[in-house]
Amino acid sequence: MISRRNIRVKVMQTLYAMDTMEQGSLKPGTATSLLNEKLDQTCQIFTYLLYSIARVAQYAETDAQARASKHLPSAADLVVNTKIAGNDFIFQVLGDKGFQVNLDSWKLRHLEDPELTRKLYNRLAESELYKTYISEQSRNKASEKQIIEYIYKDILEKNDLFRQHMEDSFLHWGDDEDMMGILVGNYLSKPQLFNFLQLISREKLEYARELLLTVIDKKDYCLELIKPKLQNWDPERIAAIDMLLMEMGVCEFLYFPTIPTKVTINEYIDLAKGYSTPQSGQFVNGILDNILKDLVQANQVQKTDRTRK
């Protein structure tokens, strides 16, 4: 559910945060505590996005009640279609006990902006796709899924007010935004496979903590391997994120036998492109590739087939 790429981002952010903290403020457990907070927020964002989709759909009932309660309701006011509120996917997610536990434990219901929900629903109600959806009396899996995807991709994701709402509510929304589209899509394809009480598998959680602690523990050794490859580069002027990503990459080469070296290099090239300077992807690629060649020649890289858990 939560990808390894996102895990790497959270480890990178944790390492960067620790580098900016005063050494005297660092205590045993600080690193894993920071990491857990960042991973928790990823799970919170995903849960809240599904809740936001559900609230927009449920607003059909609120709208129907409000229009019917007018002093002089029109004929249209008395026949507002509320089909979307009973959408199969909305019914399933709201009926999931784990989902409800997350909403309560993280106090996510309190984040909703009712006025924003109303505006989002009105935009949905004006769309041709919605009008077609409510005109069909029967329900089928394809149309039920299509309208929920539309709410997320075209009503929420493309709305500046909603995006600002997410930025205001979640510090690292920008880091998780791209992955959320994939997660929401995965949920709509196979909702029965999602365990909201364990959105990050034990295997990936173990990987996250092990990667973080390994980079911290092996930092000096990693720098011994990295600095000779910098040649004309001044280590003090290299982007801090680039250095962290290279340290993480070297640790994966040496201490994570189930992760192929090609996967490691490609992942850290992409992260450098996305989170550092325009030249960082090429720079990180060159350094990691040179280090890997030396490690392979010295027979220090031992890789095995990943055991599925």
Side-chain angles (χ1 to χ4, degrees), residues 4-215:
R4 279 184 176 249
R5 183 182 191 278
N6 194 253
I7 293 290
R8 289 182 175 97
V9 169
K10 298 305 172 185
V11 171
M12 176 195 74
Q13 291 173 341
T14 301
L15 291 168
Y16 184 79
M18 293 185 65
D19 281 352
T20 61
M21 297 170 65
E22 294 184 7
Q23 293 303 306
S25 65
L26 298 178
K27 301 177 181 178
T30 297
T32 53
S33 178
L34 285 173
L35 177 62
N36 289 338
E37 288 178 9
K38 294 181 184 299
L39 292 173
D40 275 350
Q41 187 170 98
T42 295
C43 297
Q44 290 175 33
I45 290 173
F46 174 62
T47 302
Y48 184 67
L49 283 176
L50 291 180
Y51 179 66
S52 297
I53 293 171
R55 293 299 294 152
V56 170
Q58 287 182 313
Y59 197 86
E61 294 181 335
T62 302
D63 183 55
Q65 293 172 2
R67 292 174 64 175
S69 299
K70 288 181 179 179
H71 178 60
L72 293 174
S74 66
D77 289 332
L78 297 174
V79 291
V80 175
N81 192 303
T82 60
K83 176 183 177 181
I84 186 67
N87 180 279
D88 291 345
F89 290 95
I90 301 302
F91 181 81
Q92 177 146 353
V93 71
L94 293 179
D96 189 296
K97 292 182 179 179
F99 179 78
Q100 293 295 332
V101 168
N102 283 352
L103 288 179
D104 293 334
S105 62
W106 288 325
K107 298 179 173 58
L108 297 178
R109 301 178 203 271
H110 303 300
L111 297 179
E112 182 188 1
D113 179 344
E115 178 60 16
L116 177 57
T117 300
R118 183 188 68 82
K119 290 179 179 179
L120 294 169
Y121 167 76
N122 286 339
R123 181 179 173 189
L124 171 67
E126 293 169 357
S127 68
E128 291 303 317
L129 183 66
Y130 181 75
K131 293 174 183 177
T132 300
Y133 170 78
I134 61 175
S135 69
E136 300 171 353
Q137 293 186 356
S138 62
R139 294 182 185 273
N140 64 76
K141 188 174 181 179
S143 62
E144 293 289 89
K145 178 181 178 182
Q146 183 186 34
I147 194 65
I148 298 303
E149 288 178 330
Y150 180 78
I151 291 175
Y152 178 69
K153 294 179 180 179
D154 290 82
I155 303 301
L156 302 187
E157 198 172 33
K158 294 182 180 179
N159 187 279
D160 290 339
L161 290 177
F162 182 76
R163 291 169 65 86
Q164 186 61 54
H165 172 64
M166 293 301 295
E167 287 183 18
D168 294 341
S169 302
F170 300 99
L171 181 62
H172 297 295
W173 157 248
D175 297 323
D176 289 337
E177 183 178 1
D178 289 342
M179 187 190 68
M180 287 302 147
I182 298 174
L183 279 178
V184 171
N186 289 344
Y187 177 79
L188 294 178
S189 295
K190 296 182 178 180
Q192 69 278 8
L193 298 183
F194 276 68
N195 178 0
F196 283 95
L197 297 180
Q198 192 180 2
L199 288 172
I200 302 177
S201 68
R202 290 187 178 89
E203 182 266 334
K204 287 179 180 175
L205 188 58
E206 181 181 335
Y207 161 69
R209 292 170 178 167
E210 186 177 352
L211 179 59
L212 174 67
L213 296 178
T214 300
V215 175

Side-chain angles (χ1 to χ4, degrees), residues 253-305:
F253 289 158
L254 293 171
Y255 308 112
F256 291 79
T258 62
I259 301 178
T261 56
K262 184 176 181 180
V263 170
T264 291
I265 290 180
N266 288 340
E267 286 289 337
Y268 288 108
I269 290 173
D270 287 344
L271 291 179
K273 290 178 180 177
Y275 291 91
S276 195
T277 70
Q279 298 78 28
S280 291
Q282 184 177 358
F283 173 69
V284 168
N285 180 25
I287 300 299
L288 286 181
D289 188 58
N290 283 332
I291 293 173
L292 179 59
K293 289 177 181 177
D294 289 349
L295 293 176
V296 170
Q297 188 173 9
N299 199 32
Q300 290 182 261
V301 177
Q302 305 295 327
K303 296 293 182 178
T304 59
D305 292 334

